[in-house]
Amino acid sequence: MASRARVRAPELIGKGGWLNTGGENLSLADLRGKCVVVDFWTFCCINCLHVLDELRELEEQHRDTVVIIGVHSPKFVHEAEHQAVVDAVERYGVEHPVLDDPELATWKQYAVRAWPTLVVIDPEGYVVAQHAGEGHAHAIARLVEELEAEHEAKGTLRRGDGPYVPPEPEPTALRFPGKALLLPSGNFLVSDTTRHQLVELADDAETVVRRFGSGTRGLVDGPADTASFNEPQGLALLDDGSVVVADTVNHALRRLDLATGRVTTLAGTGRQWWQGSPTSGPAREIDLSSPWDVAVFGGRVWIAMAGVHQLWAYDPDGGTSQAFGSGGGTVAVAAGTTNEGLVDGPPAEAWFAQPSGLAATADRLWVADSETSALRWVGLDGHVHTAVGTGLFDFGHRDGAAGQALLQHPLGVTALPDGSVAVSDTYNHALRRYDPATGEVTTLATDLREPSDAVLAGDDIVVVESARHRLTRLRLPEEAVRVESVAHRTRRAATEVAPGGLRLDVIFQAPAGQKLDTRYGPSTRLLVSSTPPELLLKGEGADTDLSRDLDLNPAIGEGVLHVSAMAASCDDDEANEYPACHVHQQDWGVPVRITEGAASRLPLVLAGMDQDA
């Protein structure tokens, strides 16, 4: 077996302590003899949530030899709250120990630069691989098999149960509900996300009328009691009286017939969209990626495709209601490039960052763009505009003129009767209002708990308080609530780099048994840009080389480098006519501060180990 680079793994430390261990603290010594996969994640990050799903199969297949450790490393201020991490671990069904590291202590020890990052530690306590981004589960599974064989032979592998201890379930009617919809009957339909169901509540917003879905993860069509969802979110009422559902982790759109309770699939294959996959075509044949919300706008069902930072649209055949029932129609990208950020303009040039909430009026589609803490909108001409928000790393709670107002990771938006919109300002635990007529942002309500959506019901607004597991009815106030203004920057420290020349190296080593796929041209791609654009004097743009010489403007003190890298690898077997191939991709937003005497090289690990570290 070929030798591999090994580095002694730093200890796992975090001020917030351990979750899912029955109250026990863990150390690397406790994990000796196991193959350990450390998952650096934060619960706002859709790519991190994808990795949680990718790791489930690895956890199950290697339960007696592999221990997955989540290290929660916050981006937003709210994510540093311990109870918020406790909630997120339950919300997303995390079934392994999690270290709450609010001060990024372990993140810094492992020199992590991106969410998510996976680090593999062998049974003797050495780091043997690092991967940034998603799509690496196959490579890690193969490495684990090698480590199992190697350390079984050496006598250093310890089999048996890991340290995971599941928490006690809580008896609430809803569990981390995501979105809500007012039905023609006056009842409410709620996506009961963590329980993988839809729940109809009476007009009191409390009494359960009926449930749709078996309550177990799955992608199964059929009657209400046997159909299955996987963390459903957004809901929209169709002209025929049925409901379209953003079935997020199934990467699908589903249709609920309220009269019969029957569930069918409208769009998606159940597979996650990857770079190179088709971006338009028959709805049931096109892969989607974490659809988070849906809204009917301009005769189409628009989709907040959080997983790829885009808006897509589902177009039924001929615009007829029969098409919804038959599962016909097409899907296609409507706006966004898959690059993560805040850029306005024509639909093919705009950038989003995890769009998670939609609301339609006659002439605008409002978008809660969560990772940029922004409120965006799309006009009838398809052009994208920003109403509130400045970028990936600025957030807070500040009212006033929209140009200086701040939100914190909003997940929902609701059109109000006077032409303004209410924003479910999730990480500020508030309901905010933006008025296009005045350009002002105000606060409607505070002391909510992770509000993720809201719907109008007469003179009231009913808010989905996700982390309180309930719907809360509020009277729309005539005057806004006054709050103290606060502004934040990301908790992640800026990387100090030297002015002038900076060598950017994206590290990629093909997994064992694979090689770069060059059958159809270059197998790698690197895209670099910056905020502000003036930060980069040289090196912006796309090319196929994973290394690039940048020139930083010494007149710009700090900013963000946006780096997107892709590499395709296939099985290295000449006898196999159809080798299995995989795409490895990661987007980095690296805050940098120009400092005399600092490093002139910036390594970003996509997969493998940085030999020059």
Side-chain angles (χ1 to χ4, degrees):
M1 186 172 297
S3 61
R4 60 174 66 89
R6 301 200 309 170
V7 177
R8 176 63 71 179
E11 190 53 81
L12 303 173
I13 53 174
K15 190 175 181 180
W18 288 89
L19 307 176
N20 283 356
T21 63
E24 297 293 322
N25 292 326
L26 298 180
S27 69
L28 285 177
D30 299 324
L31 304 173
R32 197 63 52 84
K34 297 287 189 179
C35 301
V36 179
V37 179
V38 182
D39 175 19
F40 290 90
W41 69 298
T42 187
F43 63 80
C44 71
C45 163
I46 190 64
N47 310 93
C48 299
L49 303 186
H50 289 166
V51 167
L52 288 177
D53 294 315
E54 289 176 3
L55 292 176
R56 295 186 199 280
E57 185 175 351
L58 182 70
E59 283 182 290
E60 184 60 36
Q61 293 185 349
H62 299 269
R63 192 166 292 280
D64 67 334
T65 60
V66 171
V67 174
I68 295 175
I69 299 291
V71 176
H72 188 269
S73 312
K75 171 188 174 182
F76 290 98
V77 169
H78 170 60
E79 293 175 309
E81 297 176 15
H82 181 69
Q83 185 57 47
V85 180
V86 173
D87 289 344
V89 167
E90 181 188 352
R91 182 195 302 267
Y92 297 115
V94 180
E95 296 183 353
H96 51 251
V98 173
L99 175 63
D100 180 11
D101 182 18
E103 297 177 345
L104 303 180
T106 297
W107 165 289
K108 295 170 185 173
Q109 286 293 312
Y110 281 78
V112 175
R113 297 184 183 274
W115 296 278
T117 289
L118 296 168
V119 175
V120 181
I121 302 173
D122 72 13
E124 294 179 296
Y126 289 90
V127 174
V128 293
Q130 182 171 328
H131 301 266
E134 51 185 297
H136 301 292
H138 67 284
I140 292 174
R142 182 156 186 165
L143 175 58
V144 162
E145 292 171 358
E146 291 183 4
L147 292 174
E148 287 174 342
E150 177 184 341
H151 289 274
E152 187 93 81
K154 292 173 65 176
T156 50
L157 184 71
R158 177 166 57 90
R159 294 185 180 272
D161 292 337
Y164 169 66
V165 178
E168 290 293 324
E170 296 286 342
T172 54
L174 303 173
R175 205 68 191 162
F176 298 104
K179 305 288 185 180
L181 177 67
L182 181 66
L183 299 176
S185 65
N187 289 354
F188 297 90
L189 187 67
V190 184
S191 53
D192 196 12
T193 305
T194 296
R195 292 202 176 122
H196 317 295
Q197 291 181 318
L198 307 180
V199 179
E200 184 178 349
L201 301 179
D203 59 5
D204 62 4
E206 295 180 7
T207 305
V208 175
V209 176
R210 53 180 172 164
R211 293 179 180 271
F212 305 93
S214 65
T216 58
R217 293 180 186 271
L219 178 54
V220 178
D221 289 343
D225 58 344
T226 59
S228 59
F229 299 95
N230 197 343
E231 298 185 23
Q233 286 281 352
L235 308 166
L237 194 66
L238 302 175
D239 289 341
D240 65 355
S242 66
V243 175
V244 60
V245 183
D247 196 5
T248 305
V249 179
N250 274 330
H251 311 296
L253 294 189
R254 315 292 293 283
R255 176 184 180 271
L256 170 64
D257 187 321
L258 288 168
T260 66
R262 188 167 187 84
V263 177
T264 53
T265 299
L266 287 178
T269 63
R271 298 183 301 270
Q272 183 182 340
W273 186 95
W274 288 98
Q275 288 289 349
S277 301
T279 56
S280 64
R284 292 292 303 274
E285 299 175 15
I286 301 299
D287 299 339
L288 309 180
S289 182
S290 296
W292 207 275
D293 203 3
V294 284
V296 178
F297 178 63
R300 297 185 292 171
V301 176
W302 285 64
I303 310 163
M305 203 72 79
V308 286
H309 316 299
Q310 290 179 312
L311 302 180
W312 287 44
Y314 168 73
D315 194 0
D317 289 340
T320 63
S321 60
Q322 287 80 8
F324 286 115
S326 66
T330 59
V331 289
V333 173
T337 64
T338 76
N339 294 314
E340 184 179 13
L342 193 153
V343 177
D344 291 340
E349 299 174 13
W351 291 23
F352 295 93
Q354 213 169 301
S356 301
L358 299 176
T361 64
D363 59 353
R364 289 187 182 186
L365 178 71
W366 293 96
V367 183
D369 203 26
S370 62
E371 277 296 290
T372 51
S373 297
L375 174 65
R376 319 280 295 278
W377 60 276
V378 182
L380 292 173
D381 60 359
H383 274 58
V384 178
H385 310 262
T386 297
V388 183
T390 59
L392 284 166
F393 299 103
D394 296 292
F395 52 89
H397 191 153
R398 181 194 287 154
D399 287 339
Q404 57 86 53
L406 294 172
L407 310 170
Q408 187 180 179
H409 197 80
L411 291 178
V413 58
T414 307
L416 300 180
D418 63 356
S420 66
V421 292
V423 179
S424 295
D425 194 5
T426 309
Y427 288 3
N428 279 326
H429 311 299
L431 191 67
R432 312 286 293 283
R433 174 177 178 265
Y434 169 69
D435 186 353
T438 64
E440 292 287 312
V441 175
T442 53
T443 297
L444 295 175
T446 57
D447 193 31
L448 301 168
R449 186 67 187 174
E450 293 194 15
S452 55
D453 196 21
V455 293
L456 289 174
D459 293 330
D460 297 336
I461 189 164
V462 178
V463 181
V464 180
E465 275 199 274
S466 186
R468 284 197 177 117
H469 319 293
R470 70 188 189 192
L471 270 58
T472 299
R473 186 184 295 269
L474 304 172
R475 180 56 55 95
L476 276 173
E478 295 181 5
E479 294 185 2
V481 176
R482 293 191 178 276
V483 297
E484 182 181 352
S485 295
V486 291
H488 299 292
R489 292 280 291 173
T490 178
R491 299 180 62 83
R492 177 183 172 188
T495 298
E496 294 190 345
V497 294
L502 178 68
R503 178 69 172 180
L504 173 64
D505 289 326
V506 174
I507 312 301
F508 178 76
Q509 297 161 1
Q514 294 188 11
K515 64 180 180 179
L516 287 173
D517 180 18
T518 57
R519 293 173 298 165
Y520 307 108
S523 58
T524 57
R525 180 177 181 269
L526 179 64
L527 175 66
V528 180
S529 63
S530 67
T531 303
E534 296 79 15
L535 176 65
L536 272 179
L537 297 175
K538 171 190 171 186
E540 185 180 15
D543 204 344
T544 58
D545 194 341
L546 290 181
S547 293
R548 189 175 302 177
D549 290 319
L550 310 180
D551 189 6
L552 302 184
N553 188 344
I556 305 296
E558 59 183 304
V560 179
L561 288 177
H562 302 282
V563 181
S564 178
M566 184 275 291
S569 63
C570 290
D571 289 345
D572 188 8
D573 183 356
E574 298 294 340
N576 186 355
E577 186 177 356
Y578 303 104
C581 297
H582 305 275
V583 175
H584 315 258
Q585 183 177 3
Q586 171 63 13
D587 295 329
W588 290 269
V590 184
V592 296
R593 181 179 299 114
I594 297 179
T595 306
E596 288 289 347
S600 59
R601 177 176 179 262
L602 177 61
L604 300 175
V605 177
L606 178 59
M609 298 280 285
D610 181 13
Q611 304 296 337
D612 296 330

